[in-house]
Amino acid sequence: MKRTNFKRKKVVVKKLPRETPVKRPRNRVKAPPRRSVTSLKKTLWGHFTAYVKKRDKYTCVTCGKLTEGRNSHGGHYIAKGACTLEYYFHEKNVHCQCSSCNLRLEGNRPAYRAFILRTYGQATLTDLETNYNKTFQGDPYMWLIDKINYYKNL
């Protein structure tokens, strides 16, 4: 290809002068940021499991072993992923369990079922096994706030 002496002319765009922004007074009080439901669930879980462990006297309900520290868990009869928010924090669905029963034996369900039947009776067991997946009614945010305040003050 043959080179030419043709060059494009540069187009100059004139900028318009900016208007100065209007400054507004900054004496408004900002509302604190609203916490997420996940964050509230974590906070409630800390208070709730502390209550459950004290209630059960740090004894595993499925094997009877005395637990302490990291070996002490709040174990669910109905799995956390399967139940609604109400049953996630239901006092009859969560009990103190040792890490072996809760993690290795996946809740030791037969022994846990026998414990619930012996302690609370058939009506509670039926309620847990049939109603755990019903749709949660109400505002989860306010429900969690109320529960946090309840278990924090116990």
Side-chain angles (χ1 to χ4, degrees), residues 56-79:
D56 295 339
K57 299 175 183 145
Y58 293 92
T59 304
C60 179
V61 297
T62 52
C63 71
K65 185 169 48 172
L66 191 64
T67 62
E68 60 180 324
R70 295 184 71 121
N71 191 33
S72 182
H73 291 203
H76 287 81
Y77 175 65
I78 303 294

PDB file of all heavy atoms in Angstrom, residues 56-79:
ATOM      1  N   ASP A  56     -30.354 -28.270  79.174  1.00  0.00           N
ATOM      2  CA  ASP A  56     -30.078 -29.710  79.165  1.00  0.00           C
ATOM      3  C   ASP A  56     -28.878 -30.087  80.030  1.00  0.00           C
ATOM      4  O   ASP A  56     -28.442 -31.242  80.017  1.00  0.00           O
ATOM      5  CB  ASP A  56     -29.855 -30.186  77.721  1.00  0.00           C
ATOM      6  CG  ASP A  56     -31.105 -30.051  76.870  1.00  0.00           C
ATOM      7  OD1 ASP A  56     -32.213 -29.983  77.444  1.00  0.00           O
ATOM      8  OD2 ASP A  56     -30.982 -30.010  75.636  1.00  0.00           O
ATOM      9  N   LYS A  57     -28.342 -29.111  80.770  1.00  0.00           N
ATOM     10  CA  LYS A  57     -27.228 -29.329  81.705  1.00  0.00           C
ATOM     11  C   LYS A  57     -26.006 -29.926  81.018  1.00  0.00           C
ATOM     12  O   LYS A  57     -25.324 -30.782  81.581  1.00  0.00           O
ATOM     13  CB  LYS A  57     -27.676 -30.181  82.883  1.00  0.00           C
ATOM     14  CG  LYS A  57     -28.790 -29.533  83.676  1.00  0.00           C
ATOM     15  CD  LYS A  57     -29.301 -30.421  84.766  1.00  0.00           C
ATOM     16  CE  LYS A  57     -30.448 -29.687  85.439  1.00  0.00           C
ATOM     17  NZ  LYS A  57     -31.483 -30.561  85.873  1.00  0.00           N
ATOM     18  N   TYR A  58     -25.739 -29.466  79.804  1.00  0.00           N
ATOM     19  CA  TYR A  58     -24.566 -29.873  79.026  1.00  0.00           C
ATOM     20  C   TYR A  58     -24.423 -31.391  78.906  1.00  0.00           C
ATOM     21  O   TYR A  58     -23.332 -31.932  78.889  1.00  0.00           O
ATOM     22  CB  TYR A  58     -23.287 -29.265  79.625  1.00  0.00           C
ATOM     23  CG  TYR A  58     -23.256 -27.760  79.485  1.00  0.00           C
ATOM     24  CD1 TYR A  58     -23.746 -26.933  80.498  1.00  0.00           C
ATOM     25  CD2 TYR A  58     -22.774 -27.176  78.343  1.00  0.00           C
ATOM     26  CE1 TYR A  58     -23.723 -25.551  80.368  1.00  0.00           C
ATOM     27  CE2 TYR A  58     -22.746 -25.795  78.201  1.00  0.00           C
ATOM     28  CZ  TYR A  58     -23.226 -25.000  79.220  1.00  0.00           C
ATOM     29  OH  TYR A  58     -23.217 -23.625  79.078  1.00  0.00           O
ATOM     30  N   THR A  59     -25.561 -32.065  78.825  1.00  0.00           N
ATOM     31  CA  THR A  59     -25.573 -33.518  78.673  1.00  0.00           C
ATOM     32  C   THR A  59     -26.196 -33.868  77.328  1.00  0.00           C
ATOM     33  O   THR A  59     -27.274 -33.379  76.993  1.00  0.00           O
ATOM     34  CB  THR A  59     -26.393 -34.162  79.810  1.00  0.00           C
ATOM     35  OG1 THR A  59     -25.842 -33.725  81.061  1.00  0.00           O
ATOM     36  CG2 THR A  59     -26.339 -35.665  79.736  1.00  0.00           C
ATOM     37  N   CYS A  60     -25.523 -34.734  76.572  1.00  0.00           N
ATOM     38  CA  CYS A  60     -26.035 -35.159  75.277  1.00  0.00           C
ATOM     39  C   CYS A  60     -27.329 -35.943  75.487  1.00  0.00           C
ATOM     40  O   CYS A  60     -27.361 -36.903  76.255  1.00  0.00           O
ATOM     41  CB  CYS A  60     -24.995 -36.022  74.564  1.00  0.00           C
ATOM     42  SG  CYS A  60     -25.539 -36.628  72.961  1.00  0.00           S
ATOM     43  N   VAL A  61     -28.389 -35.540  74.807  1.00  0.00           N
ATOM     44  CA  VAL A  61     -29.686 -36.185  75.006  1.00  0.00           C
ATOM     45  C   VAL A  61     -29.764 -37.546  74.330  1.00  0.00           C
ATOM     46  O   VAL A  61     -30.629 -38.351  74.660  1.00  0.00           O
ATOM     47  CB  VAL A  61     -30.851 -35.291  74.519  1.00  0.00           C
ATOM     48  CG1 VAL A  61     -30.924 -34.011  75.324  1.00  0.00           C
ATOM     49  CG2 VAL A  61     -30.759 -35.006  73.040  1.00  0.00           C
ATOM     50  N   THR A  62     -28.866 -37.831  73.384  1.00  0.00           N
ATOM     51  CA  THR A  62     -28.950 -39.103  72.672  1.00  0.00           C
ATOM     52  C   THR A  62     -28.056 -40.184  73.266  1.00  0.00           C
ATOM     53  O   THR A  62     -28.414 -41.356  73.245  1.00  0.00           O
ATOM     54  CB  THR A  62     -28.612 -38.906  71.182  1.00  0.00           C
ATOM     55  OG1 THR A  62     -27.371 -38.225  71.064  1.00  0.00           O
ATOM     56  CG2 THR A  62     -29.692 -38.122  70.487  1.00  0.00           C
ATOM     57  N   CYS A  63     -26.880 -39.814  73.812  1.00  0.00           N
ATOM     58  CA  CYS A  63     -25.999 -40.843  74.383  1.00  0.00           C
ATOM     59  C   CYS A  63     -25.763 -40.658  75.877  1.00  0.00           C
ATOM     60  O   CYS A  63     -25.217 -41.551  76.529  1.00  0.00           O
ATOM     61  CB  CYS A  63     -24.660 -40.898  73.641  1.00  0.00           C
ATOM     62  SG  CYS A  63     -23.583 -39.484  73.936  1.00  0.00           S
ATOM     63  N   GLY A  64     -26.143 -39.516  76.432  1.00  0.00           N
ATOM     64  CA  GLY A  64     -26.014 -39.286  77.868  1.00  0.00           C
ATOM     65  C   GLY A  64     -24.651 -38.783  78.308  1.00  0.00           C
ATOM     66  O   GLY A  64     -24.418 -38.598  79.505  1.00  0.00           O
ATOM     67  N   LYS A  65     -23.734 -38.537  77.383  1.00  0.00           N
ATOM     68  CA  LYS A  65     -22.383 -38.098  77.729  1.00  0.00           C
ATOM     69  C   LYS A  65     -22.393 -36.625  78.131  1.00  0.00           C
ATOM     70  O   LYS A  65     -23.091 -35.817  77.527  1.00  0.00           O
ATOM     71  CB  LYS A  65     -21.459 -38.329  76.536  1.00  0.00           C
ATOM     72  CG  LYS A  65     -20.014 -38.030  76.810  1.00  0.00           C
ATOM     73  CD  LYS A  65     -19.044 -38.507  75.735  1.00  0.00           C
ATOM     74  CE  LYS A  65     -19.446 -38.154  74.339  1.00  0.00           C
ATOM     75  NZ  LYS A  65     -18.400 -38.462  73.353  1.00  0.00           N
ATOM     76  N   LEU A  66     -21.612 -36.271  79.156  1.00  0.00           N
ATOM     77  CA  LEU A  66     -21.465 -34.890  79.581  1.00  0.00           C
ATOM     78  C   LEU A  66     -20.576 -34.169  78.579  1.00  0.00           C
ATOM     79  O   LEU A  66     -19.506 -34.658  78.228  1.00  0.00           O
ATOM     80  CB  LEU A  66     -20.856 -34.824  80.980  1.00  0.00           C
ATOM     81  CG  LEU A  66     -20.870 -33.467  81.656  1.00  0.00           C
ATOM     82  CD1 LEU A  66     -22.308 -33.017  81.903  1.00  0.00           C
ATOM     83  CD2 LEU A  66     -20.121 -33.524  82.972  1.00  0.00           C
ATOM     84  N   THR A  67     -21.013 -33.029  78.064  1.00  0.00           N
ATOM     85  CA  THR A  67     -20.268 -32.300  77.038  1.00  0.00           C
ATOM     86  C   THR A  67     -19.763 -30.988  77.598  1.00  0.00           C
ATOM     87  O   THR A  67     -20.284 -30.477  78.586  1.00  0.00           O
ATOM     88  CB  THR A  67     -21.155 -32.005  75.820  1.00  0.00           C
ATOM     89  OG1 THR A  67     -22.241 -31.176  76.245  1.00  0.00           O
ATOM     90  CG2 THR A  67     -21.689 -33.268  75.199  1.00  0.00           C
ATOM     91  N   GLU A  68     -18.726 -30.449  76.949  1.00  0.00           N
ATOM     92  CA  GLU A  68     -18.219 -29.139  77.347  1.00  0.00           C
ATOM     93  C   GLU A  68     -17.509 -28.491  76.162  1.00  0.00           C
ATOM     94  O   GLU A  68     -17.031 -29.180  75.265  1.00  0.00           O
ATOM     95  CB  GLU A  68     -17.268 -29.250  78.534  1.00  0.00           C
ATOM     96  CG  GLU A  68     -16.051 -30.093  78.285  1.00  0.00           C
ATOM     97  CD  GLU A  68     -15.141 -30.182  79.498  1.00  0.00           C
ATOM     98  OE1 GLU A  68     -15.022 -29.179  80.213  1.00  0.00           O
ATOM     99  OE2 GLU A  68     -14.562 -31.240  79.702  1.00  0.00           O
ATOM    100  N   GLY A  69     -17.468 -27.173  76.167  1.00  0.00           N
ATOM    101  CA  GLY A  69     -16.744 -26.427  75.141  1.00  0.00           C
ATOM    102  C   GLY A  69     -17.222 -26.702  73.728  1.00  0.00           C
ATOM    103  O   GLY A  69     -18.412 -26.730  73.437  1.00  0.00           O
ATOM    104  N   ARG A  70     -16.259 -26.945  72.834  1.00  0.00           N
ATOM    105  CA  ARG A  70     -16.566 -27.155  71.420  1.00  0.00           C
ATOM    106  C   ARG A  70     -17.227 -28.500  71.171  1.00  0.00           C
ATOM    107  O   ARG A  70     -17.740 -28.753  70.086  1.00  0.00           O
ATOM    108  CB  ARG A  70     -15.293 -27.050  70.606  1.00  0.00           C
ATOM    109  CG  ARG A  70     -14.687 -25.655  70.640  1.00  0.00           C
ATOM    110  CD  ARG A  70     -13.495 -25.605  69.746  1.00  0.00           C
ATOM    111  NE  ARG A  70     -13.944 -25.654  68.367  1.00  0.00           N
ATOM    112  CZ  ARG A  70     -13.704 -24.750  67.459  1.00  0.00           C
ATOM    113  NH1 ARG A  70     -13.000 -23.694  67.791  1.00  0.00           N
ATOM    114  NH2 ARG A  70     -14.134 -24.874  66.231  1.00  0.00           N
ATOM    115  N   ASN A  71     -17.186 -29.383  72.139  1.00  0.00           N
ATOM    116  CA  ASN A  71     -17.813 -30.694  71.992  1.00  0.00           C
ATOM    117  C   ASN A  71     -19.325 -30.617  72.195  1.00  0.00           C
ATOM    118  O   ASN A  71     -20.051 -31.556  71.897  1.00  0.00           O
ATOM    119  CB  ASN A  71     -17.186 -31.680  72.980  1.00  0.00           C
ATOM    120  CG  ASN A  71     -17.597 -33.100  72.717  1.00  0.00           C
ATOM    121  OD1 ASN A  71     -17.815 -33.496  71.581  1.00  0.00           O
ATOM    122  ND2 ASN A  71     -17.731 -33.876  73.781  1.00  0.00           N
ATOM    123  N   SER A  72     -19.800 -29.499  72.696  1.00  0.00           N
ATOM    124  CA  SER A  72     -21.221 -29.324  72.983  1.00  0.00           C
ATOM    125  C   SER A  72     -21.901 -28.609  71.812  1.00  0.00           C
ATOM    126  O   SER A  72     -21.521 -27.501  71.456  1.00  0.00           O
ATOM    127  CB  SER A  72     -21.377 -28.512  74.268  1.00  0.00           C
ATOM    128  OG  SER A  72     -22.710 -28.367  74.598  1.00  0.00           O
ATOM    129  N   HIS A  73     -22.898 -29.239  71.223  1.00  0.00           N
ATOM    130  CA  HIS A  73     -23.610 -28.673  70.065  1.00  0.00           C
ATOM    131  C   HIS A  73     -25.099 -28.547  70.383  1.00  0.00           C
ATOM    132  O   HIS A  73     -25.616 -29.218  71.253  1.00  0.00           O
ATOM    133  CB  HIS A  73     -23.479 -29.594  68.857  1.00  0.00           C
ATOM    134  CG  HIS A  73     -22.102 -29.661  68.293  1.00  0.00           C
ATOM    135  ND1 HIS A  73     -21.874 -30.024  66.999  1.00  0.00           N
ATOM    136  CD2 HIS A  73     -20.879 -29.412  68.825  1.00  0.00           C
ATOM    137  CE1 HIS A  73     -20.586 -30.009  66.757  1.00  0.00           C
ATOM    138  NE2 HIS A  73     -19.963 -29.644  67.861  1.00  0.00           N
ATOM    139  N   GLY A  74     -25.766 -27.711  69.608  1.00  0.00           N
ATOM    140  CA  GLY A  74     -27.218 -27.661  69.616  1.00  0.00           C
ATOM    141  C   GLY A  74     -27.699 -28.497  68.442  1.00  0.00           C
ATOM    142  O   GLY A  74     -27.603 -28.060  67.299  1.00  0.00           O
ATOM    143  N   GLY A  75     -28.164 -29.697  68.697  1.00  0.00           N
ATOM    144  CA  GLY A  75     -28.552 -30.605  67.628  1.00  0.00           C
ATOM    145  C   GLY A  75     -30.033 -30.540  67.332  1.00  0.00           C
ATOM    146  O   GLY A  75     -30.856 -30.458  68.240  1.00  0.00           O
ATOM    147  N   HIS A  76     -30.386 -30.603  66.056  1.00  0.00           N
ATOM    148  CA  HIS A  76     -31.788 -30.555  65.619  1.00  0.00           C
ATOM    149  C   HIS A  76     -32.323 -31.967  65.392  1.00  0.00           C
ATOM    150  O   HIS A  76     -31.634 -32.802  64.827  1.00  0.00           O
ATOM    151  CB  HIS A  76     -31.901 -29.791  64.292  1.00  0.00           C
ATOM    152  CG  HIS A  76     -31.711 -28.330  64.424  1.00  0.00           C
ATOM    153  ND1 HIS A  76     -30.473 -27.734  64.496  1.00  0.00           N
ATOM    154  CD2 HIS A  76     -32.612 -27.316  64.482  1.00  0.00           C
ATOM    155  CE1 HIS A  76     -30.627 -26.431  64.594  1.00  0.00           C
ATOM    156  NE2 HIS A  76     -31.917 -26.154  64.580  1.00  0.00           N
ATOM    157  N   TYR A  77     -33.570 -32.195  65.818  1.00  0.00           N
ATOM    158  CA  TYR A  77     -34.239 -33.453  65.465  1.00  0.00           C
ATOM    159  C   TYR A  77     -34.631 -33.400  63.994  1.00  0.00           C
ATOM    160  O   TYR A  77     -34.316 -34.285  63.221  1.00  0.00           O
ATOM    161  CB  TYR A  77     -35.470 -33.683  66.351  1.00  0.00           C
ATOM    162  CG  TYR A  77     -36.246 -34.909  65.946  1.00  0.00           C
ATOM    163  CD1 TYR A  77     -35.685 -36.173  66.058  1.00  0.00           C
ATOM    164  CD2 TYR A  77     -37.527 -34.803  65.423  1.00  0.00           C
ATOM    165  CE1 TYR A  77     -36.382 -37.307  65.661  1.00  0.00           C
ATOM    166  CE2 TYR A  77     -38.235 -35.915  65.035  1.00  0.00           C
ATOM    167  CZ  TYR A  77     -37.651 -37.174  65.155  1.00  0.00           C
ATOM    168  OH  TYR A  77     -38.337 -38.284  64.751  1.00  0.00           O
ATOM    169  N   ILE A  78     -35.325 -32.334  63.588  1.00  0.00           N
ATOM    170  CA  ILE A  78     -35.607 -32.080  62.184  1.00  0.00           C
ATOM    171  C   ILE A  78     -34.465 -31.204  61.675  1.00  0.00           C
ATOM    172  O   ILE A  78     -34.180 -30.163  62.250  1.00  0.00           O
ATOM    173  CB  ILE A  78     -36.955 -31.348  61.982  1.00  0.00           C
ATOM    174  CG1 ILE A  78     -38.107 -32.138  62.595  1.00  0.00           C
ATOM    175  CG2 ILE A  78     -37.207 -31.055  60.517  1.00  0.00           C
ATOM    176  CD1 ILE A  78     -38.387 -33.458  61.941  1.00  0.00           C
ATOM    177  N   ALA A  79     -33.799 -31.600  60.611  1.00  0.00           N
ATOM    178  CA  ALA A  79     -32.612 -30.909  60.119  1.00  0.00           C
ATOM    179  C   ALA A  79     -32.880 -29.432  59.846  1.00  0.00           C
ATOM    180  O   ALA A  79     -33.985 -29.058  59.428  1.00  0.00           O
ATOM    181  CB  ALA A  79     -32.114 -31.590  58.851  1.00  0.00           C
TER     182      ALA A  79
END
